[in-house]
Amino acid sequence: MTRWGYSAQAPECGLLVMRCRLAEKRQQFAVIESKQMDHLRVFHDVARALTQTLELEDILRTIMDKMAQFFGPERWSMLMVDEKAQQLYYAIAIGEDAETLKTLRIPLGEGVAGWVASTGNALIVPDVALDVEWSAFSRAHPELNIQSIACIPIRSGDKTLGVIQLLNSKLDLMSEYSNSFLRILCDYAAIAIQNASSVKLIHELTITDDCTSLFNARHLYTMLDEQVALWAGRRSHRFSLLFVDLDHFKEVNDTHGHLVGSRLLSEVGSLMKRVLGPENSCFRYGGDEFVALLPGLAKQPALDATMRLWEALREERFLTAQGLSLALAGSFGLASFPEDGNSVQAIIRAADTMMYAAKTTRDNVSVAGMGLVANGNAAVQAPAGRSATMAGADLATMRRVATA
Protein backbone atom coordinates (compact mmCIF):
# COMPACT_ATOMS: atom_id res chain seq x y z
CA MET A 1 0.00 0.00 0.00
CA THR A 2 1.18 3.58 -0.62
CA ARG A 3 0.77 6.37 1.86
CA TRP A 4 -2.49 7.28 0.13
CA GLY A 5 -3.92 3.78 0.48
CA TYR A 6 -3.82 2.79 -3.25
CA SER A 7 -2.01 -0.12 -4.79
CA ALA A 8 0.92 0.65 -7.06
CA GLN A 9 -0.67 -1.70 -9.64
CA ALA A 10 -3.90 0.36 -9.95
CA PRO A 11 -2.76 2.31 -13.06
CA GLU A 12 -1.82 -0.94 -14.79
CA CYS A 13 -5.27 -2.41 -14.03
CA GLY A 14 -6.92 0.69 -15.47
CA LEU A 15 -4.93 0.38 -18.64
CA LEU A 16 -5.89 -3.27 -18.93
CA VAL A 17 -9.59 -2.40 -18.59
CA MET A 18 -9.28 0.30 -21.24
CA ARG A 19 -7.54 -2.12 -23.58
CA CYS A 20 -10.31 -4.66 -23.10
CA ARG A 21 -12.94 -2.06 -23.84
CA LEU A 22 -11.07 -0.92 -26.94
CA ALA A 23 -10.84 -4.52 -28.11
CA GLU A 24 -14.60 -4.93 -27.64
CA LYS A 25 -15.23 -1.75 -29.61
CA ARG A 26 -12.94 -2.95 -32.37
CA GLN A 27 -14.90 -6.21 -32.53
CA GLN A 28 -18.19 -4.28 -32.69
CA PHE A 29 -16.84 -2.07 -35.46
CA ALA A 30 -15.46 -5.14 -37.22
CA VAL A 31 -18.94 -6.70 -37.17
CA ILE A 32 -20.49 -3.47 -38.46
CA GLU A 33 -17.81 -3.14 -41.13
CA SER A 34 -18.35 -6.78 -42.09
CA LYS A 35 -22.10 -6.19 -42.50
CA GLN A 36 -21.43 -3.01 -44.46
CA MET A 37 -19.00 -4.90 -46.69
CA ASP A 38 -21.61 -7.61 -47.21
CA HIS A 39 -24.09 -4.90 -48.22
CA LEU A 40 -21.57 -3.31 -50.56
CA ARG A 41 -20.81 -6.66 -52.20
CA VAL A 42 -24.53 -7.29 -52.74
CA PHE A 43 -25.11 -3.83 -54.18
CA HIS A 44 -22.03 -4.19 -56.39
CA ASP A 45 -23.28 -7.54 -57.73
CA VAL A 46 -26.73 -6.12 -58.47
CA ALA A 47 -25.33 -2.96 -60.06
CA ARG A 48 -23.08 -5.10 -62.23
CA ALA A 49 -26.08 -7.18 -63.32
CA LEU A 50 -27.91 -3.96 -64.25
CA THR A 51 -25.07 -2.86 -66.52
CA GLN A 52 -24.26 -6.26 -68.04
CA THR A 53 -27.68 -7.31 -69.29
CA LEU A 54 -31.05 -5.87 -70.24
CA GLU A 55 -32.82 -9.19 -69.67
CA LEU A 56 -35.32 -8.31 -66.95
CA GLU A 57 -35.72 -11.85 -65.61
CA ASP A 58 -31.96 -12.28 -65.13
CA ILE A 59 -31.63 -9.02 -63.20
CA LEU A 60 -34.69 -9.61 -61.02
CA ARG A 61 -33.52 -13.13 -60.20
CA THR A 62 -30.12 -11.74 -59.15
CA ILE A 63 -31.85 -9.21 -56.88
CA MET A 64 -34.11 -11.84 -55.36
CA ASP A 65 -31.24 -14.29 -54.86
CA LYS A 66 -29.29 -11.66 -52.92
CA MET A 67 -32.35 -10.83 -50.87
CA ALA A 68 -32.88 -14.51 -50.09
CA GLN A 69 -29.24 -14.89 -49.01
CA PHE A 70 -29.56 -11.91 -46.69
CA PHE A 71 -32.92 -12.70 -45.07
CA GLY A 72 -33.11 -16.47 -45.49
CA PRO A 73 -36.90 -16.64 -46.01
CA GLU A 74 -38.65 -19.99 -46.36
CA ARG A 75 -40.73 -18.70 -49.26
CA TRP A 76 -40.24 -15.59 -51.36
CA SER A 77 -41.64 -14.12 -54.53
CA MET A 78 -41.76 -11.08 -56.77
CA LEU A 79 -45.05 -10.01 -58.29
CA MET A 80 -45.36 -7.60 -61.23
CA VAL A 81 -48.20 -5.22 -62.02
CA ASP A 82 -50.20 -5.85 -65.20
CA GLU A 83 -51.56 -2.35 -65.78
CA LYS A 84 -54.07 -3.31 -68.46
CA ALA A 85 -55.64 -6.10 -66.41
CA GLN A 86 -55.13 -4.26 -63.09
CA GLN A 87 -53.70 -7.44 -61.62
CA LEU A 88 -50.52 -8.82 -60.08
CA TYR A 89 -48.80 -11.87 -61.52
CA TYR A 90 -45.89 -13.90 -60.13
CA ALA A 91 -42.72 -13.10 -62.06
CA ILE A 92 -40.57 -15.14 -59.64
CA ALA A 93 -41.74 -17.61 -56.99
CA ILE A 94 -39.49 -19.79 -54.83
CA GLY A 95 -40.63 -22.29 -52.20
CA GLU A 96 -43.72 -24.39 -51.69
CA ASP A 97 -46.41 -24.20 -54.38
CA ALA A 98 -44.09 -22.16 -56.65
CA GLU A 99 -45.43 -23.79 -59.82
CA THR A 100 -49.03 -23.14 -58.80
CA LEU A 101 -48.31 -19.50 -57.99
CA LYS A 102 -46.88 -18.84 -61.46
CA THR A 103 -50.37 -19.09 -62.98
CA LEU A 104 -52.12 -17.15 -60.20
CA ARG A 105 -53.45 -13.64 -60.77
CA ILE A 106 -54.23 -11.25 -57.90
CA PRO A 107 -56.52 -8.22 -58.47
CA LEU A 108 -55.05 -4.95 -57.22
CA GLY A 109 -56.43 -4.16 -53.77
CA GLU A 110 -57.06 -7.79 -52.82
CA GLY A 111 -54.94 -9.74 -50.34
CA VAL A 112 -51.69 -8.54 -48.82
CA ALA A 113 -49.80 -8.11 -52.10
CA GLY A 114 -52.79 -6.48 -53.80
CA TRP A 115 -53.18 -4.00 -50.93
CA VAL A 116 -49.46 -3.12 -50.94
CA ALA A 117 -49.51 -2.66 -54.73
CA SER A 118 -52.61 -0.46 -54.73
CA THR A 119 -51.59 1.73 -51.75
CA GLY A 120 -47.84 1.83 -52.29
CA ASN A 121 -47.31 1.14 -48.56
CA ALA A 122 -45.09 -1.63 -47.19
CA LEU A 123 -46.47 -4.23 -44.81
CA ILE A 124 -43.97 -5.76 -42.37
CA VAL A 125 -44.98 -8.13 -39.57
CA PRO A 126 -41.80 -9.47 -37.85
CA ASP A 127 -43.74 -11.89 -35.63
CA VAL A 128 -47.37 -12.71 -36.40
CA ALA A 129 -47.79 -14.12 -32.88
CA LEU A 130 -47.42 -10.59 -31.48
CA ASP A 131 -50.00 -9.08 -33.85
CA VAL A 132 -53.66 -9.64 -32.94
CA GLU A 133 -55.05 -9.72 -36.49
CA TRP A 134 -52.21 -11.70 -38.01
CA SER A 135 -52.17 -14.12 -35.11
CA ALA A 136 -55.85 -14.86 -35.70
CA PHE A 137 -55.22 -15.23 -39.44
CA SER A 138 -52.32 -17.60 -38.82
CA ARG A 139 -54.42 -19.77 -36.50
CA ALA A 140 -57.25 -19.85 -39.06
CA HIS A 141 -54.82 -20.96 -41.80
CA PRO A 142 -52.25 -23.28 -40.19
CA GLU A 143 -51.44 -24.81 -43.58
CA LEU A 144 -49.76 -21.53 -44.59
CA ASN A 145 -47.34 -21.71 -41.65
CA ILE A 146 -46.83 -17.93 -41.51
CA GLN A 147 -44.47 -16.75 -38.78
CA SER A 148 -43.36 -13.46 -40.29
CA ILE A 149 -44.17 -11.54 -43.44
CA ALA A 150 -42.61 -8.66 -45.35
CA CYS A 151 -44.37 -7.24 -48.41
CA ILE A 152 -42.64 -4.23 -49.98
CA PRO A 153 -43.71 -2.23 -53.05
CA ILE A 154 -41.34 -1.66 -55.95
CA ARG A 155 -41.98 1.95 -56.89
CA SER A 156 -40.80 4.44 -59.48
CA GLY A 157 -41.99 7.92 -58.63
CA ASP A 158 -45.68 7.66 -57.73
CA LYS A 159 -46.14 4.42 -59.66
CA THR A 160 -46.05 0.88 -58.22
CA LEU A 161 -44.32 -1.52 -60.61
CA GLY A 162 -44.42 -4.66 -58.47
CA VAL A 163 -44.22 -6.18 -54.99
CA ILE A 164 -41.58 -8.26 -53.18
CA GLN A 165 -42.87 -10.76 -50.64
CA LEU A 166 -40.79 -12.61 -48.00
CA LEU A 167 -42.30 -15.21 -45.66
CA ASN A 168 -40.68 -16.48 -42.45
CA SER A 169 -37.43 -14.55 -42.66
CA LYS A 170 -34.55 -15.47 -40.32
CA LEU A 171 -33.49 -11.85 -39.69
CA ASP A 172 -35.07 -9.02 -37.73
CA LEU A 173 -37.23 -7.31 -40.33
CA MET A 174 -37.53 -4.11 -38.30
CA SER A 175 -33.82 -3.36 -37.88
CA GLU A 176 -32.24 -0.39 -39.60
CA TYR A 177 -30.01 -2.68 -41.63
CA SER A 178 -32.92 -4.78 -42.83
CA ASN A 179 -35.04 -1.79 -43.83
CA SER A 180 -32.25 -0.02 -45.68
CA PHE A 181 -31.32 -3.24 -47.48
CA LEU A 182 -34.91 -3.87 -48.57
CA ARG A 183 -35.41 -0.29 -49.76
CA ILE A 184 -32.22 -0.21 -51.81
CA LEU A 185 -32.86 -3.57 -53.46
CA CYS A 186 -36.42 -2.48 -54.30
CA ASP A 187 -34.95 0.66 -55.89
CA TYR A 188 -32.62 -1.53 -57.95
CA ALA A 189 -35.59 -3.66 -59.02
CA ALA A 190 -37.49 -0.51 -60.05
CA ILE A 191 -34.52 0.62 -62.19
CA ALA A 192 -34.35 -2.79 -63.87
CA ILE A 193 -38.10 -2.82 -64.61
CA GLN A 194 -38.02 0.74 -65.99
CA ASN A 195 -35.01 -0.06 -68.18
CA ALA A 196 -36.69 -3.19 -69.52
CA SER A 197 -39.90 -1.25 -70.22
CA SER A 198 -37.96 1.41 -72.10
CA VAL A 199 -36.11 -1.19 -74.19
CA LYS A 200 -39.39 -2.98 -74.93
CA LEU A 201 -41.05 0.29 -75.97
CA ILE A 202 -38.14 1.23 -78.22
CA HIS A 203 -38.20 -2.23 -79.80
CA GLU A 204 -41.96 -2.00 -80.39
CA LEU A 205 -41.56 1.41 -82.01
CA THR A 206 -38.91 0.08 -84.39
CA ILE A 207 -41.12 -2.79 -85.59
CA THR A 208 -44.54 -1.07 -85.56
CA ASP A 209 -46.26 0.99 -88.23
CA ASP A 210 -47.44 4.31 -86.75
CA CYS A 211 -50.62 4.52 -88.81
CA THR A 212 -52.08 1.03 -88.32
CA SER A 213 -50.23 -0.32 -85.25
CA LEU A 214 -49.45 -3.41 -87.33
CA PHE A 215 -45.89 -4.67 -87.72
CA ASN A 216 -43.85 -2.86 -90.36
CA ALA A 217 -42.05 -4.25 -93.41
CA ARG A 218 -38.70 -4.39 -91.58
CA HIS A 219 -40.15 -6.80 -89.03
CA LEU A 220 -41.71 -8.89 -91.80
CA TYR A 221 -38.26 -9.79 -93.10
CA THR A 222 -37.11 -10.67 -89.57
CA MET A 223 -40.07 -13.00 -89.03
CA LEU A 224 -39.67 -14.57 -92.46
CA ASP A 225 -36.03 -15.33 -91.66
CA GLU A 226 -37.21 -17.04 -88.47
CA GLN A 227 -39.77 -19.12 -90.36
CA VAL A 228 -37.21 -20.23 -92.95
CA ALA A 229 -34.81 -21.13 -90.12
CA LEU A 230 -37.55 -23.26 -88.54
CA TRP A 231 -38.03 -25.06 -91.85
CA ALA A 232 -34.26 -25.64 -92.14
CA GLY A 233 -34.31 -27.34 -88.74
CA ARG A 234 -37.57 -29.20 -89.28
CA ARG A 235 -38.42 -29.84 -92.91
CA SER A 236 -42.06 -30.56 -92.10
CA HIS A 237 -42.59 -26.92 -91.11
CA ARG A 238 -44.85 -24.93 -93.44
CA PHE A 239 -46.06 -21.35 -93.66
CA SER A 240 -47.91 -19.17 -96.13
CA LEU A 241 -47.66 -15.53 -97.11
CA LEU A 242 -50.60 -13.32 -98.10
CA PHE A 243 -50.33 -9.98 -99.88
CA VAL A 244 -53.35 -7.61 -99.93
CA ASP A 245 -53.72 -4.45 -101.99
CA LEU A 246 -56.78 -2.25 -101.37
CA ASP A 247 -58.63 -1.55 -104.61
CA HIS A 248 -58.88 2.12 -105.63
CA PHE A 249 -57.71 3.42 -102.28
CA LYS A 250 -56.39 6.57 -103.97
CA GLU A 251 -59.97 7.60 -104.64
CA VAL A 252 -60.66 7.64 -100.91
CA ASN A 253 -57.76 10.03 -100.36
CA ASP A 254 -58.81 12.19 -103.31
CA THR A 255 -62.45 12.35 -102.17
CA HIS A 256 -62.16 12.50 -98.38
CA GLY A 257 -58.58 13.57 -97.69
CA HIS A 258 -55.51 11.86 -96.34
CA LEU A 259 -56.62 11.98 -92.70
CA VAL A 260 -59.69 9.89 -93.52
CA GLY A 261 -57.47 7.63 -95.63
CA SER A 262 -55.15 7.04 -92.68
CA ARG A 263 -58.08 6.19 -90.43
CA LEU A 264 -59.34 3.78 -93.05
CA LEU A 265 -55.96 2.03 -93.19
CA SER A 266 -56.05 1.70 -89.40
CA GLU A 267 -59.51 0.11 -89.49
CA VAL A 268 -58.39 -2.32 -92.20
CA GLY A 269 -55.43 -3.30 -90.01
CA SER A 270 -57.76 -3.93 -87.07
CA LEU A 271 -60.02 -6.05 -89.28
CA MET A 272 -57.08 -8.18 -90.41
CA LYS A 273 -55.95 -8.84 -86.84
CA ARG A 274 -59.50 -9.64 -85.74
CA VAL A 275 -60.22 -12.07 -88.60
CA LEU A 276 -56.82 -13.81 -88.76
CA GLY A 277 -56.34 -14.05 -85.00
CA PRO A 278 -53.30 -13.70 -82.73
CA GLU A 279 -51.59 -16.82 -84.08
CA ASN A 280 -50.96 -15.00 -87.38
CA SER A 281 -49.00 -11.78 -87.87
CA CYS A 282 -50.17 -8.78 -89.90
CA PHE A 283 -48.00 -6.10 -91.47
CA ARG A 284 -48.40 -2.84 -93.33
CA TYR A 285 -46.04 -3.29 -96.24
CA GLY A 286 -46.37 0.23 -97.59
CA GLY A 287 -49.07 2.59 -98.85
CA ASP A 288 -52.33 0.63 -99.05
CA GLU A 289 -50.56 -2.73 -99.23
CA PHE A 290 -50.79 -5.24 -96.37
CA VAL A 291 -49.18 -8.60 -95.66
CA ALA A 292 -50.17 -11.51 -93.42
CA LEU A 293 -47.75 -14.22 -92.31
CA LEU A 294 -49.55 -17.49 -91.60
CA PRO A 295 -47.15 -19.77 -89.63
CA GLY A 296 -47.85 -23.48 -89.73
CA LEU A 297 -50.45 -23.16 -92.48
CA ALA A 298 -50.00 -25.09 -95.71
CA LYS A 299 -51.83 -23.97 -98.85
CA GLN A 300 -55.36 -25.20 -98.20
CA PRO A 301 -55.77 -23.98 -94.60
CA ALA A 302 -54.06 -20.74 -95.63
CA LEU A 303 -56.56 -20.37 -98.49
CA ASP A 304 -59.43 -20.93 -96.05
CA ALA A 305 -58.10 -18.12 -93.84
CA THR A 306 -57.59 -15.90 -96.89
CA MET A 307 -61.18 -16.39 -98.05
CA ARG A 308 -62.48 -15.48 -94.59
CA LEU A 309 -60.53 -12.25 -94.74
CA TRP A 310 -61.59 -11.52 -98.32
CA GLU A 311 -65.26 -11.95 -97.41
CA ALA A 312 -64.92 -9.93 -94.19
CA LEU A 313 -63.31 -7.04 -96.08
CA ARG A 314 -66.12 -6.97 -98.63
CA GLU A 315 -68.84 -7.12 -95.97
CA GLU A 316 -67.35 -4.54 -93.61
CA ARG A 317 -68.40 -0.88 -93.67
CA PHE A 318 -65.61 1.44 -92.64
CA LEU A 319 -65.49 4.81 -90.88
CA THR A 320 -69.08 4.62 -89.69
CA ALA A 321 -68.12 6.71 -86.66
CA GLN A 322 -67.28 9.52 -89.08
CA GLY A 323 -70.61 9.04 -90.87
CA LEU A 324 -69.08 7.69 -94.08
CA SER A 325 -69.81 3.91 -94.12
CA LEU A 326 -67.30 3.16 -96.89
CA ALA A 327 -67.21 -0.19 -98.72
CA LEU A 328 -63.87 -1.71 -99.69
CA ALA A 329 -62.49 -4.57 -101.70
CA GLY A 330 -58.98 -5.85 -102.23
CA SER A 331 -56.69 -7.86 -104.47
CA PHE A 332 -55.27 -10.86 -102.61
CA GLY A 333 -52.18 -12.90 -103.52
CA LEU A 334 -51.29 -16.11 -101.66
CA ALA A 335 -48.15 -18.27 -101.81
CA SER A 336 -46.94 -21.12 -99.61
CA PHE A 337 -43.48 -22.12 -98.46
CA PRO A 338 -41.52 -24.01 -99.71
CA GLU A 339 -43.41 -25.15 -102.83
CA ASP A 340 -43.95 -21.62 -104.20
CA GLY A 341 -40.60 -20.25 -103.05
CA ASN A 342 -37.91 -21.74 -100.82
CA SER A 343 -36.26 -18.50 -99.66
CA VAL A 344 -37.41 -15.21 -98.18
CA GLN A 345 -37.08 -13.32 -101.44
CA ALA A 346 -38.66 -16.13 -103.46
CA ILE A 347 -41.77 -16.45 -101.28
CA ILE A 348 -42.26 -12.66 -101.23
CA ARG A 349 -41.93 -12.55 -105.02
CA ALA A 350 -44.45 -15.38 -105.40
CA ALA A 351 -47.10 -13.79 -103.15
CA ASP A 352 -46.55 -10.35 -104.72
CA THR A 353 -46.91 -11.81 -108.22
CA MET A 354 -50.20 -13.44 -107.25
CA MET A 355 -51.48 -10.14 -105.84
CA TYR A 356 -50.77 -8.39 -109.14
CA ALA A 357 -52.56 -11.24 -110.94
CA ALA A 358 -55.63 -10.56 -108.79
CA LYS A 359 -55.45 -6.86 -109.64
CA THR A 360 -56.28 -7.65 -113.26
CA THR A 361 -59.91 -8.15 -112.18
CA ARG A 362 -59.78 -6.51 -108.74
CA ASP A 363 -61.77 -7.81 -105.77
CA ASN A 364 -60.28 -11.28 -106.25
CA VAL A 365 -57.91 -13.86 -104.78
CA SER A 366 -55.04 -15.37 -106.73
CA VAL A 367 -53.18 -18.39 -105.38
CA ALA A 368 -49.82 -19.68 -106.61
CA GLY A 369 -50.40 -22.87 -108.57
CA MET A 370 -54.17 -22.35 -108.64
CA GLY A 371 -54.79 -18.95 -110.23
CA LEU A 372 -57.90 -16.82 -109.52
CA VAL A 373 -60.21 -18.53 -107.05
CA ALA A 374 -62.69 -15.88 -105.84
CA ASN A 375 -65.85 -14.58 -107.48
CA GLY A 376 -64.87 -10.99 -108.03
CA ASN A 377 -68.20 -10.19 -109.72
CA ALA A 378 -70.35 -10.87 -106.64
CA ALA A 379 -72.43 -7.87 -105.69
CA VAL A 380 -71.52 -5.79 -102.66
CA GLN A 381 -74.63 -4.85 -100.69
CA ALA A 382 -75.14 -1.17 -99.94
CA PRO A 383 -75.57 -0.36 -96.24
CA ALA A 384 -79.03 0.57 -95.03
CA GLY A 385 -79.95 4.22 -95.40
CA ARG A 386 -77.66 5.00 -98.31
CA SER A 387 -78.94 6.24 -101.64
CA ALA A 388 -79.01 3.99 -104.70
CA THR A 389 -76.76 6.46 -106.49
CA MET A 390 -74.12 6.24 -103.76
CA ALA A 391 -74.37 2.43 -103.68
CA GLY A 392 -73.98 2.29 -107.45
CA ALA A 393 -70.95 4.54 -107.25
CA ASP A 394 -69.35 2.20 -104.71
CA LEU A 395 -70.02 -0.82 -106.93
CA ALA A 396 -68.61 0.91 -109.93
CA THR A 397 -65.51 1.92 -107.99
CA MET A 398 -64.94 -1.58 -106.64
CA ARG A 399 -65.31 -3.27 -110.03
CA ARG A 400 -63.33 -0.86 -112.13
CA VAL A 401 -60.24 -2.45 -113.66
CA ALA A 402 -57.07 -0.64 -112.62
CA THR A 403 -55.35 1.41 -115.26
CA ALA A 404 -52.08 1.53 -113.33
Side-chain angles (χ1 to χ4, degrees), residues 183-196:
R183 284 197 303 269
I184 293 173
L185 283 185
C186 284
D187 288 343
Y188 274 130
I191 292 170
I193 294 169
Q194 288 288 73
N195 287 348

Side-chain angles (χ1 to χ4, degrees), residues 81-94:
V81 174
D82 183 338
E83 292 188 27
K84 290 184 179 179
Q86 287 294 288
Q87 294 176 331
L88 288 168
Y89 65 92
Y90 283 83
I92 301 174
I94 303 296

Side-chain angles (χ1 to χ4, degrees), residues 1 3 71 73 152 176 206 233 244 309 323 361 378:
M1 295 289 289
R3 63 180 293 187
F71 289 100
I152 311 98
E176 182 181 346
T206 60
V244 180
L309 180 60
T361 64

Side-chain angles (χ1 to χ4, degrees), residues 142-153:
E143 73 281 0
L144 297 178
N145 186 29
I146 298 178
Q147 298 157 22
S148 69
I149 184 170
C151 196
I152 311 98

Side-chain angles (χ1 to χ4, degrees), residues 14-288:
L15 284 171
L16 183 60
V17 171
M18 288 180 64
R19 286 171 182 162
C20 289
R21 287 177 178 170
L22 284 171
E24 289 177 1
K25 289 291 185 184
R26 286 196 192 98
Q27 280 187 324
Q28 291 176 0
F29 283 127
V31 170
I32 293 173
E33 287 176 359
S34 177
K35 288 182 178 179
Q36 290 175 337
M37 286 303 296
D38 287 342
H39 280 194
L40 287 173
R41 287 191 197 96
V42 168
F43 300 148
H44 175 265
D45 290 344
V46 174
R48 185 170 57 185
L50 280 170
T51 57
Q52 285 184 339
T53 179
L54 290 172
E55 291 296 329
L56 180 60
E57 185 175 350
D58 293 344
I59 298 172
L60 294 183
R61 192 165 289 279
T62 297
I63 292 171
M64 293 301 290
D65 285 344
K66 297 301 179 184
M67 195 171 287
Q69 291 173 18
F70 188 83
F71 289 100
E74 292 180 2
R75 302 189 299 277
W76 48 273
S77 56
M78 178 180 288
L79 298 90
M80 302 284 286
V81 174
D82 183 338
E83 292 188 27
K84 290 184 179 179
Q86 287 294 288
Q87 294 176 331
L88 288 168
Y89 65 92
Y90 283 83
I92 301 174
I94 303 296
E96 297 176 10
D97 301 323
E99 289 302 317
T100 304
L101 291 176
K102 288 179 181 178
T103 60
L104 184 65
R105 291 267 176 161
I106 301 173
L108 295 184
E110 292 188 14
V112 175
W115 179 83
V116 169
S118 62
T119 63
N121 298 319
L123 176 67
I124 299 177
V125 184
D127 188 348
V128 299
L130 302 178
D131 185 285
V132 176
E133 292 184 3
W134 277 102
S135 179
F137 179 84
S138 181
R139 287 194 302 272
H141 300 278
E143 73 281 0
L144 297 178
N145 186 29
I146 298 178
Q147 298 157 22
S148 69
I149 184 170
C151 196
I152 311 98
I154 302 169
R155 290 178 65 80
S156 177
D158 296 329
K159 185 178 180 181
T160 299
L161 306 175
V163 169
I164 289 175
Q165 212 168 229
L166 307 174
L167 294 178
N168 302 344
S169 171
K170 293 180 175 63
L171 286 186
D172 179 9
L173 294 172
M174 296 303 290
S175 71
E176 182 181 346
Y177 277 114
S178 297
N179 277 313
S180 64
F181 191 86
L182 281 171
R183 284 197 303 269
I184 293 173
L185 283 185
C186 284
D187 288 343
Y188 274 130
I191 292 170
I193 294 169
Q194 288 288 73
N195 287 348
S197 297
S198 298
V199 170
K200 182 180 179 182
L201 177 60
I202 291 170
H203 175 67
E204 288 176 353
L205 290 174
T206 60
I207 65 174
T208 304
D209 174 65
D210 292 338
C211 178
T212 62
S213 296
L214 300 180
F215 292 129
N216 57 25
R218 184 188 301 110
H219 194 51
L220 169 64
Y221 285 91
T222 300
M223 294 191 72
L224 283 172
D225 283 335
E226 293 172 354
Q227 289 295 310
V228 172
L230 283 174
W231 171 78
R234 191 177 73 248
R235 291 296 173 131
S236 61
H237 181 69
R238 295 289 184 271
F239 69 88
S240 294
L241 194 64
L242 172 65
F243 269 59
V244 180
D245 184 81
L246 300 181
D247 295 342
H248 308 292
F249 177 77
K250 183 176 181 299
E251 295 180 12
V252 175
N253 281 338
D254 292 344
T255 303
H256 302 286
H258 288 276
L259 182 59
V260 168
S262 295
R263 288 175 179 167
L264 179 58
L265 291 174
S266 179
E267 290 194 10
V268 171
S270 297
L271 174 73
M272 289 184 67
K273 288 195 291 186
R274 187 170 68 250
V275 173
L276 296 178
E279 64 275 14
N280 300 304
S281 299
C282 300
F283 308 78
R284 184 186 177 198
Y285 198 63
D288 60 346

